[in-house]
């Protein structure tokens, strides 16, 4: 699978997740609860696919990636 195909699938997946997220939020589910449920589901699927050690390694990289704004949808630069 080439990089363009992967990028398009990622955009499509994010679009579906965003739609479901907005629907759940509109139904009254708190965004903090949505976030915890989404992380649980994501990690559970990754563990099933790659195993605990590989996912623990991925999770270990998250603090630096978060601090590098990889997961920030909007950021204020001062």
């Amino acid at each position: 699978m080439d990089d363009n195909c992967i990028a398009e699938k990622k955009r499509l997946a994010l679009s579906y997740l965003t739609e479901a997220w907005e629907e759940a939020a509109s139904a009254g589910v708190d965004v903090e609860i949505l976030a915890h449920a989404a992380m649980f589901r994501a990690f559970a699927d990754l563990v099933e696919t790659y195993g605990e050690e590989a996912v623990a390694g991925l999770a270990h990289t998250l603090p630096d990636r978060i601090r590098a704004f990889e997961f920030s949808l909007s950021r204020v630069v001062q």
Side-chain angles (χ1 to χ4, degrees):
M1 194 176 316
D2 68 16
D3 289 344
N4 288 335
C5 184
I6 292 170
E8 180 57 32
K9 285 185 176 188
K10 286 181 179 182
R11 280 190 290 275
L12 181 60
L14 185 55
S15 174
Y16 282 129
L17 290 171
T18 299
E19 185 178 320
W21 187 282
E22 290 171 358
E23 185 177 333
S26 293
V29 180
D30 296 334
V31 294
E32 295 84 4
I33 293 171
L34 284 169
H36 282 266
M39 288 187 341
F40 174 83
R41 179 59 195 243
F43 279 118
D45 283 357
L46 288 170
V47 165
E48 189 171 316
T49 301
Y50 299 106
E52 286 81 0
E53 285 303 313
V55 178
L58 168 69
H60 183 73
T61 69
L62 291 176
D64 290 337
R65 294 176 66 193
I66 291 166
R67 289 183 189 101
F69 304 104
E70 283 188 42
F71 303 99
S72 297
L73 296 176
S74 61
R75 110 182 164 184
V76 176
V77 179
Q78 297 181 6

